[in-house]
Amino acid sequence: MEQNNANLDTAIFAGGCFWCTEAVFQRLKGVHKVESGYTGGEIKNPAYREICTGRTGHAEAIRITFDPQQMSFVELLEIFFATHDPTTLNRQGNDVGTQYRSEIFYTTEQQKKEATAVIEVLERQKVFTNPIVTAVSEAKPFYIAEEEHQNYYNDHSNQPYCQFIIDPKIKKLSTHFSKKLNSAT
């Protein structure tokens, strides 16, 4: 049955390489679409080669279209924080630069409140050894990345980057959030 788009919401996260975050969020119940792209910068319609320089101000990010009746924004945040390192500034593993920063781009004031509250709880509970550096910012224009970056993990899971970097994130997701996975995954 087709879902009424009026019931869907949007979340925008930057958590390092968008291939990784896309692969994680594609597997969740209630997620209808995940698009890799660029946001948070100043130039219009940036290209991957420009983003890679780190000079555009954009982050590699994903835009998630989801049904909040099946998966809440707070649940998405829990998975976001569990599947990347929110304590490293402008870096995820060997991917270094402002384009790989950890950032939540809120689309409503409610999302801003929930993101801030989740960060406060994680900090208070000392879930991470180091302080969380994830920024919480108002959403800026989101530019869809080139076609070769969409659905990357699913199309290239045998590539070494996917096997060494993304596979462990998918395993962690399956272990800790199995009840939140689509039955097809």
Side-chain angles (χ1 to χ4, degrees):
M1 186 161 100
E2 187 65 27
Q3 177 73 35
N4 181 347
N5 285 342
N7 296 330
L8 299 180
D9 205 349
T10 301
I12 303 170
F13 298 147
C17 173
F18 49 27
W19 298 341
C20 300
T21 49
E22 177 192 65
V24 165
F25 287 92
Q26 285 177 327
R27 285 156 172 69
L28 300 176
K29 286 181 189 173
V31 170
H32 289 253
K33 186 184 204 181
V34 181
E35 300 166 292
S36 290
Y38 316 111
T39 194
E42 300 305 322
I43 68 168
K44 291 181 180 180
N45 300 309
Y48 185 72
R49 68 182 182 284
E50 295 168 311
I51 300 299
C52 289
T53 68
R55 294 188 297 240
T56 69
H58 292 84
E60 287 192 14
I62 58 168
R63 180 169 58 190
I64 305 162
T65 304
F66 67 102
D67 180 349
Q69 299 300 313
Q70 292 185 293
M71 178 72 63
S72 72
F73 183 69
V74 169
E75 290 173 306
L76 292 174
L77 288 170
E78 290 169 357
I79 292 165
F80 172 72
F81 282 109
T83 55
H84 85 291
D85 184 352
T87 69
T88 55
L89 187 62
N90 301 327
R91 162 182 221 136
Q92 286 298 303
N94 290 330
D95 293 329
V96 179
T98 57
Q99 67 272 30
Y100 300 115
R101 67 187 178 263
S102 177
E103 191 161 358
I104 298 160
F105 295 91
Y106 62 87
T107 60
T108 66
E109 285 300 311
Q110 183 63 32
Q111 283 187 355
K112 178 182 179 182
K113 288 177 190 170
E114 290 175 349
T116 303
V118 167
I119 291 170
E120 288 172 2
V121 167
L122 293 171
E123 289 284 67
R124 192 170 48 253
Q125 293 177 349
K126 303 238 182 265
V127 171
F128 299 99
T129 305
N130 296 316
I132 292 172
V133 297
T134 303
V136 177
S137 307
E138 187 172 5
K140 289 188 169 190
F142 184 91
Y143 302 100
I144 303 291
E146 297 81 356
E147 187 59 36
E148 65 263 21
H149 298 295
Q150 306 302 322
N151 204 43
Y152 192 86
Y153 176 78
N154 295 330
D155 293 342
H156 304 283
S157 60
N158 290 328
Q159 271 201 351
Y161 183 90
C162 293
Q163 292 177 340
F164 292 111
I165 306 299
I166 304 174
D167 279 353
K169 292 175 185 285
I170 300 300
K171 286 183 180 124
K172 185 174 189 178
L173 179 71
S174 297
T175 301
H176 297 289
F177 298 98
S178 62
K179 289 184 171 40
K180 296 182 191 295
L181 296 177
N182 277 323
S183 56
T185 55

